[in-house]
Amino acid sequence: MPGQAAELVFDEATKQYEGRDEAAVDHLSLTVRAGEICVLVGPSGGGKTTALRLVNRLIPLTSGDIRIDGTSILDQDVVRLRRGIGYVIQQVGLFPHMTVEANIGTVPRLYGRPRAWIRTRSAELLELVGLDSSYAKRYPAQLSGGERQRVGLARALAGNPPLMLMDEPFGAIDPIVRARLQDAFLALQKEVRKTVVFVTHDIDEAIKVGDRIAIFRRGGRLAQYDTPQAILERPADEFVAEFVGADRALKALALHTLAELDLGAPAGGPPCPRTSTVRDALALMLQMDAQKLAVTDERGVVVGSVTREQLLS
Ligand SMILES: Nc1ncnc2c1ncn2[C@@H]1O[C@H](COP(=O)(O)OP(=O)(O)OP(=O)(O)O)[C@@H](O)[C@H]1O
Ligand SMILES: [Mg+2]
């Protein structure tokens, strides 16, 4: 089976649906580096899903090219191309008549992997996405929405694809579970280091999960492609500035954690883990009406302190 991460290049990729005046994706050129998460974000109808589906050839290109590790998708056998790409969609699309284990084994079965191998791999992947082994024999209908999303993610990873396409994978999930899934996904990505194209219409999600963000405007045109920090600090134009929101200075605080600051000597105040973002720490301070926080490590031991002034500087 394939492995590791691939570089993905959109080269003037264009899609014009039949009977439509405007292109859905218009001369899109961008490079997603191997092992990076690129988030596509933009208004509804902006061409995000179309851009994603061009990659695994669910939709044919009108013009331009898309290359994976230097090879045009047009020069690859479409079945092999798709097997090498993990695809996660909002409705997950698990097979309802198959157990969780069988769902996860879909691609490995296509590669002719033996049953024992698939069982072991499936157990590993369940653990990786934070579900215990008792889930293996359950059916999709016996899972919560968030659990189904995790199984969908495990299934997409099962063939060890160098490239993952994720279309609003956490879209229909309540904010708390969603935040947990985002954390789980980022922890997972630290281990597996896939190249990921991740679609969302939620700019906060984009900032949280993206190494780089591609902001689309209507008509599938790229407005800006940059790191979250650069987009928040230097939006390319009015459209981007408006899209990221007037509170972009506040959003930028979510890009750093307390662990990155020069902490003061341990002191009193409400406890706050050093893995918290500066934004969350500030929110806690306001909520507790505190001037200082006691910063704790993984074991809850106080390792330092921060003041409001420090967080805002
Ligand atoms: N099969 C199709 N035939 C014709 N037009 C289509 C087709 N699929 C999508 N479109 C049009 O292409 C444009 C881009 O659609 P797309 O689904 O890529 O947007 P999107 O950015 O994913 O939007 P959303 O955030 O709502 O999911 C829209 O104007 C849409 O109406
Ligand atoms: Mg879409």
Side-chain angles (χ1 to χ4, degrees), residues 164-206:
M164 301 270 292
L165 307 176
M166 305 177 75
D167 197 350
E168 305 209 31
F170 312 139
I173 288 180
D174 74 70
I176 293 169
V177 177
R178 184 174 185 164
R180 254 195 266 135
L181 279 175
Q182 290 164 347
D183 292 338
F185 168 65
L186 288 173
L188 188 66
Q189 170 67 359
K190 274 213 176 98
E191 274 186 52
V192 298
R193 286 267 171 230
K194 301 294 177 192
T195 305
V196 181
V197 187
F198 185 113
V199 170
T200 179
H201 57 253
D202 175 355
I203 184 69
D204 290 307
E205 183 166 74

Side-chain angles (χ1 to χ4, degrees), residues 125-301:
L125 285 162
L126 278 177
E127 197 192 321
L128 209 57
V129 298
L131 295 174
D132 68 65
S133 55
S134 71
Y135 282 85
K137 297 296 172 200
R138 293 213 220 166
Y139 287 88
Q142 299 167 319
L143 305 176
S144 76
E147 289 164 350
R148 274 198 286 268
Q149 296 281 0
R150 287 169 189 255
V151 174
L153 189 56
R155 184 177 62 175
L157 286 165
N160 196 19
L163 175 62
M164 301 270 292
L165 307 176
M166 305 177 75
D167 197 350
E168 305 209 31
F170 312 139
I173 288 180
D174 74 70
I176 293 169
V177 177
R178 184 174 185 164
R180 254 195 266 135
L181 279 175
Q182 290 164 347
D183 292 338
F185 168 65
L186 288 173
L188 188 66
Q189 170 67 359
K190 274 213 176 98
E191 274 186 52
V192 298
R193 286 267 171 230
K194 301 294 177 192
T195 305
V196 181
V197 187
F198 185 113
V199 170
T200 179
H201 57 253
D202 175 355
I203 184 69
D204 290 307
E205 183 166 74
I207 291 165
K208 180 168 173 184
V209 308
D211 293 309
R212 258 165 242 277
I213 301 177
I215 301 193
F216 280 41
R217 58 172 101 242
R218 283 205 67 90
R221 276 168 298 141
L222 191 58
Q224 188 167 0
Y225 182 48
D226 231 323
T227 61
Q229 181 121 22
I231 282 179
L232 289 170
E233 286 172 1
R234 296 181 299 279
D237 57 23
E238 272 305 299
F239 169 81
V240 175
E242 199 172 310
F243 193 84
V244 297
D247 61 341
R248 62 192 162 87
L250 201 54
K251 288 192 168 103
L253 296 179
L255 294 171
H256 300 286
T257 64
L258 296 184
E260 296 165 47
L261 302 178
D262 281 329
L263 300 176
C272 185
R274 63 179 165 194
T275 48
S276 296
T277 66
V278 171
R279 184 181 182 165
D280 289 345
L282 194 63
L284 180 68
M285 258 181 197
L286 295 174
Q287 189 190 329
M288 306 294 284
D289 194 23
Q291 294 297 327
K292 252 187 182 187
L293 292 177
V295 181
T296 60
D297 68 7
E298 291 66 26
R299 292 162 304 158
V301 177

